[in-house]
Amino acid sequence: MNTANVSGTAAKGCTHPAGCHTGEVPVYASATVGARFWLLIEHSGPWASHLEDCSLPEDVHTLIKRATNLGIRPQLIRRPGRRGPAPDGIHVMVADSTAAEPWIAEGVFTNPDDLDLDALVAGVLPESCILVSEPVFLVCTHAKRNACCARIGLPIARSLAEVLPDRTWETSHVGGDRYAANLVCLPHGLYYGSMSQAAALAAADAYRSGEVTLDRFRGRAGIPEPLQAAEHFVRAHTGELSVGGVAVESSRSDGSATEAVVLGNGARYRVVVEPMTFSTPCGTACADTITTYRLVSLDRLSPVRYATPALT
């Protein structure tokens, strides 16, 4: 398949693809900050570079615009390797990655106006949607956005679908072409990048067990990038891998540096990170450099002790 010329339009991608997207470049602290609520719409394609240019029914375009205005991230999805007829009605999934217990639900609508997106951003399950008990895995294969996403992502989506056929979807642009192939685990919004087939399977197995793998883990969507970095360094320091086992309690900025208090592995840590620029190993159309974060300091905080009242 010529992923650089899908549907007749060239897509950007690596000029030296063999040396890129191998996991040698740091990927942590790069999950999409704005992705807190999700709207997934099944559409077998083709997909234009941007959703507004896709050939979709007008009412679906209206639904996508409504979601975007509410701060919900819209994604097109399709089954790996399938380009069959569209399902009856509009098959959607909605997810809340911000809830104390993140959730994902699905429904089929003949009229997109029947999908209550206001309920979603209020943290309420929309009517006519049913909660899904199993996680959902999205692999970006959006060739028109970046040829590398299809060239690397398609084999990964297909291999993951062999193991998890009902849970795996190809998806449109998720953010971070330079980290292709990208994997998103919902409902928590966990991002992985520079994935191989083996790494994707390992990440999916870990997530189904309630854990992350730090290898190629970009971070959790919806969290500012420096705080993703702080969480990453606490996980690396403590070995805490449970999905909910690390969380930022508070943070403040001091110039370019960010100081955060992070709970992890039953303790609290003061973490200071600052941005740094990393050159990619080859000149690519995806990125010549990336901005990431370096660890300045990580200190375990003493537990709070309360004074014993004096006896009178």
Side-chain angles (χ1 to χ4, degrees), residues 176-197:
D177 299 334
R178 66 198 62 184
Y179 304 112
N182 285 298
L183 170 71
V184 180
C185 307
L186 291 175
H188 285 82
L190 306 184
Y191 270 59
Y192 289 87
S194 298
M195 297 300 276
S196 65
Q197 294 183 38

Side-chain angles (χ1 to χ4, degrees), residues 29-46:
S30 64
T32 302
V33 174
R36 303 172 75 238
F37 302 98
W38 300 77
L39 169 64
L40 315 180
I41 304 171
E42 184 174 358
H43 176 67
S44 60

